[in-house]
Amino acid sequence: MMTTRPRNAAQTRDDILMAARRRFGAEGYERTTLRAVAADVGVDAALVIRYFGSKQDLFAAAADFAIDLPDLSDVDPADVAGILLPRFFAVWEEDERFLALLRAAMTSPLAADTLRRIFAEQVAPKLVTATPDHPVQRIGLMGAFVIGLAITRYVLVNPPVASLSREELSRWAAPVITQLLVGPAPT
Amino acid sequence: MFAAEGYERTTLRAIAADVGVDAALVIRYFGSKQDLFATATEFTIELPDLTDADPDDIAAMLLPRYFAVWEEDHSFMALLQVAMTSRVAADILNETLATHVAPSLKAATPDNDQQRIALTDAFVIGLAATRSVLGNLPAAELSRDELRQWAAPVFRQLLVGPAPA
């Protein structure tokens, strides 16, 4: 006979965050409702509001994640791509947060701001430690390349990109990363 | 309507109601919802013939054509946005890349066509997303000229550069 499982507040919070990531990732920011997230977890929408506040606050909590990039100041330029690529794969593949944020950001200015903030606070300052000059240009194109890889491989599942093994993708992406971050500036 | 509501939520009935016609008329003109979506987001991209192109000229040859799609063609942006949450839309975009973009790029590639074209497409989609949709990352701050200058070595490496060991 089934007994009602007592809900532990921390577990419920985690369940709500996971459900929120799935909803925001699948449906985007505007179309996701607190009611739908609550229903996914089997709780009342009022409980979601009590834990997280508004939909905007819930989104911020669900999309909040840390990208752990190393300081690259003393790294040999030839090693920069090899150090960064496994970190990028970790962000793309380890949990749903980044892809949920990316999907939502493409259709919601609020989510796009969250993505920009994470890029500006956690990614750009680390990448800049590798660049010899022109940080805006180098980091701008680097950001575009990394976001383009994530979109084509994991969101569009574009066959030519998605069918490459991790090693093969890394092998072809490495010279681009090297050129963009530490290569000679174009004249 | 597809851009605002997404693919799954848009109904032929709602589109018909917006223009004050019957849903049957929409079906007669366009067929299924999927056919209508494909027609509504159809975009053309005409890439130049890159056979014998000087590797250093490739970016300058390609980028104006890409800019015309990202920055001036709203059907492409709508398709890219809808494709973020719809498999049908993503497949249409993938199909367009395979049939209209890959053959032109293939004229330039000396070997490893799949890898070279895959990463070039990823780079281009990333530029389109950061400049035209997300619009708030550093790539959006660069002028077209500056972007061309910095993208040139990337196109050269990906399409015609030495294959990585």
Side-chain angles (χ1 to χ4, degrees):
Chain A
M1 183 146 166
M2 296 262 299
T3 51
T4 318
R5 186 163 45 97
R7 277 198 170 273
N8 152 322
Q11 182 61 47
T12 303
R13 250 187 89 89
D14 285 353
D15 290 348
I16 293 170
L17 283 177
M18 289 229 323
R21 274 174 211 131
R22 272 197 302 272
R23 283 275 168 186
F24 286 124
E27 307 195 345
Y29 179 79
E30 268 73 19
R31 298 203 299 270
T32 296
T33 63
L34 292 182
R35 187 182 300 268
V37 172
D40 288 347
V41 191
V43 300
D44 196 83
L47 187 75
V48 177
I49 294 168
R50 178 139 53 86
Y51 281 168
F52 293 99
S54 67
K55 177 166 112 173
Q56 190 169 336
D57 296 329
L58 175 63
F59 179 79
D64 189 33
F65 63 99
I67 301 182
D68 182 24
L69 296 177
D71 184 290
L72 300 164
S73 319
D74 298 321
V75 171
D76 184 325
D79 296 335
V80 166
I83 290 173
L84 288 174
L85 276 161
R87 308 295 183 110
F88 292 149
F89 278 106
V91 172
W92 296 335
E93 295 182 354
E94 254 166 34
D95 64 32
E96 298 169 59
R97 290 178 215 208
F98 173 74
L99 293 181
L101 175 60
L102 181 57
R103 286 189 150 108
M106 293 290 282
T107 49
S108 154
L110 173 82
D113 278 344
T114 305
L115 183 63
R116 182 199 50 74
R117 189 172 46 74
I118 290 176
F119 189 83
E121 289 172 4
Q122 300 188 40
V123 181
K126 295 296 174 61
L127 296 183
V128 99
T129 62
T131 59
D133 52 51
H134 298 85
V136 174
Q137 290 83 348
R138 292 178 186 277
I139 288 169
L141 269 81
M142 182 68 191
F145 185 51
V146 172
I147 284 184
L149 287 172
I151 290 178
T152 48
R153 187 170 171 88
Y154 301 100
V155 181
L156 301 177
V157 197
N158 178 255
V161 184
S163 64
L164 296 178
S165 69
R166 211 189 245 235
E167 291 67 33
E168 210 169 12
L169 184 71
S170 300
R171 213 153 50 86
W172 284 86
V176 175
I177 293 174
T178 305
Q179 162 59 33
L180 286 177
L181 286 182
V182 300
T187 44
Chain B
M1 187 164 287
F2 283 119
E5 300 283 318
Y7 179 79
E8 274 72 18
R9 294 198 175 204
T10 299
T11 63
L12 292 182
R13 187 184 300 269
I15 291 171
D18 265 13
V19 265
V21 299
D22 195 84
L25 187 74
V26 178
I27 293 167
R28 178 137 53 87
Y29 279 150
F30 294 101
S32 66
K33 179 166 105 171
Q34 190 168 339
D35 295 332
L36 174 61
F37 178 76
T39 309
T41 57
E42 200 167 43
F43 66 95
T44 44
I45 172 157
E46 288 183 25
L47 295 181
D49 182 5
L50 297 174
T51 320
D52 304 324
D54 181 329
D56 288 321
D57 293 342
I58 289 178
M61 292 170 77
L62 288 177
L63 277 171
R65 312 295 181 100
Y66 283 129
F67 285 135
V69 176
W70 308 332
E71 294 179 9
E72 286 142 37
D73 187 335
H74 293 282
S75 43
F76 169 76
M77 259 94 83
L79 178 59
L80 181 58
Q81 288 181 284
V82 178
M84 299 301 283
T85 54
S86 158
R87 196 60 250 157
V88 172
D91 286 339
I92 291 174
L93 184 52
N94 288 338
E95 186 58 26
T96 306
L97 290 173
T99 52
H100 296 293
V101 175
S104 308
L105 299 182
K106 201 163 184 284
T109 55
D111 53 51
N112 297 279
D113 307 327
Q114 187 209 330
Q115 290 85 338
R116 292 178 184 278
I117 291 169
L119 272 85
T120 304
D121 282 348
F123 183 52
V124 170
I125 295 277
L127 288 172
T130 47
R131 280 174 73 85
S132 298
V133 185
L134 299 170
N136 58 10
L137 289 166
E141 293 165 19
L142 305 182
S143 70
R144 285 186 179 196
D145 247 16
E146 228 170 359
L147 183 72
R148 183 185 47 68
Q149 265 192 323
W150 284 87
V154 176
F155 281 112
R156 189 179 52 217
Q157 163 58 31
L158 286 176
L159 289 174
V160 301

